[in-house]
Amino acid sequence: MTERLGRWSSGRGPLYVLLAGRLRQLIDDGELAAGAVLPPDRVFAKQLAVGRNTVIAAYELLESEGRIVRRRGSGTRVAGGVVETASDTTSAPMFLNLLEPRADLISLACAAPEAPPQVVTEAYAEMVPVLAGMTAEIGYHPAGYPPLRAAIAERYTRLGAPTGPERILVTNGGQQALSLLARAFVRPGDRVVVETPTYPGALEAFHEEAAVLTTLPIGFAGFEAALRTRRPVLAYATPTFQNPTGTVLSGLQRRRIAEVAAAQDVPLIADEITADLGFPGIEMPPPLAADADEVISIGSLSKNIWGGLRVGWIRAAEPVIARLTRLRAVHDLGGNLPAQLAATGLISSIDTTAPQRATRLRTGHDFLRAKLAAALPEWEVPPVEGGQTLWVRLPYGDGTSFAQTTLRHGIAILAGSGLDPGGGSDDHIRLHFRHPDAVLEAAVERLASAWRAYHPPARRVVTPPPLAV
């Protein structure tokens, strides 16, 4: 419920009015169907880090409007007698931060370059004459514009993973790549192995197909046993500058998980979208496909060039690419050809702009850590050597209720619980450092203000069951 509410508390006015307004919208849009049970006011207040009277007042307002029914002994329900299936939409905070933008809110939730760099505008300028010269070109390429596929394949080959264009599928960004792979490999009830915490967009793609997630710690300890006992249909890893922890798997770890996956005949997805985000002087490992050709690799221009370009890709065996292409054609006949024309020239820019990108990432990382250390010294903020996010441990409370508090202070963050289906990261939050220094400084000021105002919900004391002998 707290995830569905999104940024309910970031508007103007009394909190109970804002809460009632968001619940009203969810009810009217069908997100909360007739007969759906709402949380008890005391529980809801703890989840939202507000006073109980705020929830009671919101409920009373909605009850007076006839939208909910409150009865002693049977709880609070959306008005109506039949429980219907809610709309099939996402409630993940990462997506709600994009779906419900606010100009006065600083977002440390969605990590991506701030603005299109000059190489993007130059690539589009160079693309225009090529586009103007096309005559016998319908513009539909379900597998991607052939020269772009060739350029991506050549880059993999140069990095140590020999690849032909037939093994590349161009997608509308990395998220579409994940969604296609989930749709191709997962059926309801199938198991998928993921490291935890992990990228929330991947979790949403697997949840969309009703997957059952098996979680392993960063580094994939217990990977072979999990494959043998759980018999998953898919495994997902981010081997380089993992999102959100920034971890880089060692060469031995990378080869080991690839070998185990191949031996157990489990497709392994290597999400390498963040692999080019190393800091100055940090040696980047080759793609996982250089060690294991059968690995399914995902790449994208969204993090190393610009998110608005929406060009990603999948590298896999030719039969897998053929299957994914057929799936993709049903929803998208081939993507944006002008964007793919521009991307063809930008593939080489990934490497040529690396020094400038690395310097800026390091500067943002150091600046944000320094400001956090000064304003919030009790927070644990481990350094990383690349990527775009910090994985912060709070000294008390939980990320979910604190994220609600930060919204009321004009800043959006991601709570650790949304990145960890194993339930082990409730005391963490994810922050990104890709904003300009001035924005990061303002963000820390708001975080510090939110932390001073934060009152974590009381934890329930659970009596452990008696020891079975």
Side-chain angles (χ1 to χ4, degrees):
M1 179 62 72
T2 55
E3 290 182 350
R4 286 191 177 198
L5 288 175
R7 296 176 173 177
W8 71 272
S9 62
S10 60
R12 296 183 180 276
L15 285 177
Y16 82 93
V17 174
L18 297 176
L19 178 57
R22 179 56 175 159
L23 288 170
R24 183 186 300 115
Q25 181 183 2
L26 292 174
I27 293 169
D28 293 349
D29 290 348
E31 285 289 306
L32 292 175
V37 179
L38 299 179
D41 45 51
R42 191 183 302 276
V43 173
F44 209 10
K46 289 181 179 180
Q47 292 172 341
L48 299 177
V50 298
R52 184 185 178 191
N53 288 338
T54 295
V55 176
I56 292 174
Y59 278 172
E60 288 177 347
L61 181 57
L62 293 172
E63 185 179 26
S64 70
E65 298 171 355
R67 284 185 168 84
I68 66 173
V69 177
R70 307 191 75 197
R71 292 191 178 94
R72 186 178 298 276
S74 60
T76 304
R77 296 175 179 271
V78 176
V82 180
V83 178
E84 302 173 0
T85 303
S87 301
D88 187 17
T89 59
T90 182
S91 60
M94 184 190 79
F95 293 103
L96 291 180
N97 283 322
L98 299 174
L99 294 168
E100 302 174 1
R102 280 196 52 182
D104 59 344
L105 201 69
I106 297 176
S107 176
L108 295 186
C110 184
E114 275 287 293
Q118 186 176 350
V119 290
V120 172
T121 56
E122 291 173 350
Y124 268 86
E126 294 168 1
M127 170 274 296
V128 171
V130 178
L131 185 63
M134 288 182 168
T135 53
E137 173 58 78
I138 191 173
Y140 294 159
H141 297 282
Y145 181 53
L148 176 56
R149 298 175 73 194
I152 296 168
E154 190 279 330
R155 185 167 191 264
Y156 273 106
T157 300
R158 181 162 39 84
L159 294 175
T163 306
E166 69 284 351
R167 298 187 62 182
I168 299 295
L169 168 65
V170 178
T171 64
N172 289 331
Q175 190 62 40
Q176 187 184 59
L178 281 167
S179 296
L180 284 172
L181 288 166
R183 182 175 292 270
F185 286 97
V186 180
R187 296 294 176 266
D190 285 345
R191 290 191 176 273
V192 176
V193 173
V194 299
E195 58 193 334
T196 184
T198 193
Y199 170 55
L203 298 178
E204 282 296 294
F206 298 139
H207 284 314
E208 183 76 10
E209 303 304 324
V212 176
L213 300 180
T214 295
T215 61
L216 295 175
I218 302 297
F220 282 89
F223 186 56
E224 184 171 9
L227 298 196
R228 289 183 181 276
T229 59
R230 301 294 186 177
R231 304 184 65 83
V233 298
L234 204 61
Y236 171 80
T238 309
T240 307
F241 306 129
Q242 195 258 2
N243 181 351
T245 65
T247 304
V248 179
L249 293 181
S250 68
L252 181 61
Q253 289 173 312
R254 298 156 77 90
R255 288 188 294 273
R256 178 59 180 161
I257 63 171
E259 290 170 356
V260 168
Q264 297 296 320
D265 197 26
V266 175
L268 173 62
I269 298 175
D271 186 340
E272 296 175 314
I273 290 174
T274 55
D276 299 301
L277 303 183
F279 294 165
I282 301 301
E283 184 177 354
M284 258 90 75
L288 191 55
D291 292 321
D293 187 61
E294 66 278 5
V295 164
I296 299 171
S297 302
I298 295 178
S300 171
L301 296 180
S302 64
K303 306 304 182 187
N304 47 31
I305 301 293
W306 184 49
L309 196 58
R310 306 313 308 144
V311 173
W313 57 84
I314 300 170
R315 177 200 183 271
E318 191 172 354
V320 174
I321 293 298
R323 181 183 176 193
L324 294 170
T325 301
R326 285 169 170 76
L327 283 174
R328 189 262 180 91
V330 175
H331 302 279
D332 181 355
L333 294 176
N336 185 310
L337 184 57
Q340 293 187 32
L341 284 167
T344 303
L346 284 169
I347 292 298
S348 61
S349 298
I350 297 174
D351 300 319
T352 57
T353 60
Q356 179 181 0
R357 179 173 59 251
T359 299
R360 176 57 210 153
L361 286 168
R362 164 64 83 179
T363 299
H365 167 272
D366 293 351
F367 185 86
L368 180 56
R369 287 192 72 242
K371 291 296 180 180
L372 289 172
L376 296 157
E378 65 270 38
W379 286 15
E380 293 183 20
V381 190
V384 295
E385 294 185 332
Q388 54 191 353
T389 57
L390 295 175
W391 189 233
V392 178
R393 186 175 183 273
L394 303 176
Y396 57 83
D398 65 273
T400 301
S401 61
F402 180 58
Q404 293 290 337
T405 303
T406 65
L407 283 174
R408 299 196 283 273
H409 287 77
I411 185 163
I413 61 176
L414 282 189
S417 57
L419 290 75
D420 189 343
S425 300
D426 287 351
D427 58 349
H428 281 73
I429 59 174
R430 194 195 79 171
L431 309 175
H432 84 78
F433 45 81
R434 300 204 72 155
H435 283 304
D437 289 354
V439 178
L440 291 177
E441 185 169 14
V444 171
E445 291 175 359
R446 296 187 188 188
L447 284 172
S449 177
W451 186 249
R452 289 191 296 270
Y454 176 54
H455 300 289
R459 292 188 176 274
R460 287 190 306 138
V461 177
V462 180
T463 302
L467 180 65
V469 180

